[in-house]
Amino acid sequence: MPLPRWFAERVEPTAPDAELRVSTIELFFDLVFVFTITQLTSLLVDDFTRQDGEGFTGQGTVQAVLIFGLLWWMYSGYAWLTNTVPPEHAARRVLILGGMAGFLIMALAIPRAFSGSGVAFAVGYLVIVLVHGGLYLQATAAIARVVPFNLTATALVFAAAFVDSPWNYALWTAALVLIWLSPIFIGQKGFPLHPAHIVERHGLLVIIVLGESIVAIGIGATDGHPGAALIVAALLGLALTASLWWVYFARDESGPEHALMRADVVQRTRLILGAYFYAHIPILLGIVATAAGIHKAVGHGHLDLGPAVALAGGTALFLLGDLWFRRVLGPTRTAVRVAAVLLAAATVPIGLWSSAAHLGVLVVLLIAMICVENVLQRQAATA
């Protein structure tokens, strides 16, 4: 039986100097992916209210990290897929929608992925792996080096659904280590990428995930009584989210694209892997943790230890990931950023005293860091 014409045709990579914009179906796809991020936030929030005897300390955080690692690998795979195989044909769009369905199944399974919904999560993961591999074959046979790793990771998650703790955590960890280290064995040859599309796609994703912090403000506000204190905390939560946006986007938005364009094809793929896969892990996890902290900070006079750590640690993790991201793409100043990371992490005691003060101190810290970096940048340009 012959393959459909749209599937059998060879897809040539888009020239680096040609325009390739993020399509609306990719944004639609990202909205479903961000729903999974929302589910991870719920795991972190559950850690804050966990009672003795309900699992081990930090259980939700460990689960969130393991789940995010697997999700992020395949999300990045789809970002590379649509960079190489633009979803122009209706049939391709239908298959992308099938991948979205896989992500939705996993999102619904996340709250109990380690205690009853592991099979559903693995089924969703298998769907997105098969759709991804099938579509990518239209552009390059190099994807055949990736698919065995993805399928093996899926099998490990399936197996984890049938064993108890701690063996299920061991299998999840094995799956995560396998795919994160797979680029060492796969190599970067055979995966030409269009820089502008990668930069735009991940930038839009960061904006959507930052929107989770705004949602956290609204959810947190329902736990308290409307009044001046709640309004102040909500505005500070918005200011903190805006500061994170400023840190990521306000410094030379075209810089990452230019850095990638200067590299050859193989080096460009290596840079994208380092900057937009590995470095974005702490960026996104930092936003998730910060959103969980904001959720508890709005509507409460002070924070317990867990939410205070999430708020301070999430901000510090975001700053560290952003520094890593910029260091991969080129030289950048680190002293000011490292100092800000350490100071943000040290704000935990403030949250135990006052949630509004904790938010306010983090906002002031980020604004001060941004101002100092801008001054240093102008001085360097003048010199």
Side-chain angles (χ1 to χ4, degrees):
M1 182 177 178
L3 293 172
R5 181 182 301 177
W6 67 268
F7 188 88
E9 69 177 340
R10 179 74 176 175
V11 178
E12 296 299 331
T14 305
D17 56 347
E19 185 177 22
L20 179 62
R21 302 299 301 272
V22 175
S23 63
T24 54
I25 193 169
E26 290 173 84
L27 290 177
F28 191 22
F29 184 96
D30 289 354
L31 290 175
V32 177
F33 174 72
V34 170
F35 175 57
T36 67
I37 300 297
T38 304
Q39 297 290 76
L40 295 179
T41 302
S42 69
L43 289 178
L44 295 180
V45 172
D46 286 345
D47 257 356
F48 306 153
T49 57
R50 192 178 306 280
Q51 303 295 323
D52 292 338
E54 296 180 353
F56 58 87
T57 302
Q59 176 177 292
T61 302
V62 172
Q63 292 178 0
V65 170
L66 291 173
I67 293 171
F68 176 82
L70 292 174
L71 294 175
W72 179 240
W73 171 259
M74 286 312 304
Y75 172 84
S76 298
Y78 272 79
W80 289 34
L81 167 66
T82 52
N83 184 282
T84 307
V85 185
E88 298 168 345
H89 297 293
R92 287 181 194 155
R93 293 171 182 169
V94 169
L95 286 175
I96 293 293
L97 290 172
M100 291 167 59
F103 268 101
L104 181 60
I105 292 170
M106 290 188 295
L108 296 174
I110 280 175
R112 300 186 68 243
F114 286 78
S115 59
S117 299
V119 172
F121 186 96
V123 168
Y125 206 78
L126 179 61
V127 169
I128 64 173
V129 166
L130 294 177
V131 171
H132 175 263
L135 278 175
Y136 223 132
L137 277 174
Q138 290 189 267
T140 175
I143 193 62
R145 304 198 303 267
V146 179
V147 173
F149 288 93
N150 292 343
L151 289 177
T152 303
T154 306
L156 289 171
V157 175
F158 261 117
F162 298 99
V163 297
D164 297 324
S165 178
W167 300 110
N168 55 345
Y169 287 91
L171 289 170
W172 275 78
T173 302
L176 186 60
V177 171
L178 176 68
I179 57 177
W180 276 17
L181 296 183
S182 63
I184 298 175
F185 307 99
I186 296 168
Q188 282 77 53
K189 291 184 178 180
F191 296 97
L193 295 167
H194 194 283
H197 178 272
I198 288 290
V199 173
E200 183 184 13
R201 180 76 184 271
H202 287 78
L204 291 172
L205 175 66
V206 169
I207 289 178
I208 296 173
V209 178
L210 281 171
E212 169 60 18
S213 297
I214 307 301
V215 174
I217 294 173
I219 296 174
T222 61
D223 297 334
H225 299 287
L230 188 146
I231 292 173
V232 168
L235 290 176
L236 288 172
L238 175 61
L240 179 58
T241 304
S243 298
L244 297 179
W245 169 86
W246 199 292
V247 168
Y248 185 90
F249 288 101
R251 292 178 55 195
D252 189 14
E253 290 192 40
S254 61
E257 182 180 339
H258 291 160
L260 294 175
M261 288 292 292
R262 289 192 295 267
D264 61 54
V265 174
V266 175
Q267 177 66 13
R268 182 182 304 147
T269 304
R270 187 175 296 115
L271 289 175
I272 289 173
L273 186 65
Y276 288 96
F277 176 71
Y278 291 114
H280 271 64
I281 291 171
I283 289 175
L284 295 178
L285 285 177
I287 296 174
V288 170
T290 303
I294 291 175
H295 169 80
K296 287 296 184 182
V298 177
H300 296 81
H302 64 87
L303 297 172
D304 295 329
L305 180 60
V309 170
L311 191 57
T315 303
L317 190 60
F318 176 91
L319 294 176
L320 196 61
D322 186 72
L323 175 60
W324 181 3
F325 162 61
R326 297 183 188 283
R327 289 286 293 176
V328 170
L329 296 178
T332 187
R333 297 179 182 272
T334 61
V336 175
R337 183 63 61 86
V338 170
V341 169
L342 296 176
L343 289 173
T347 61
V348 173
I350 300 175
L352 302 179
W353 168 64
S354 168
S355 57
H358 196 183
L359 290 169
V361 168
L362 288 173
V363 170
V364 171
L365 174 62
L366 290 180
I367 292 175
M369 185 201 76
I370 292 168
C371 291
V372 171
E373 287 184 338
N374 286 340
V375 169
L376 293 175
Q377 188 175 6
R378 285 197 299 269
Q379 290 177 347
T382 303

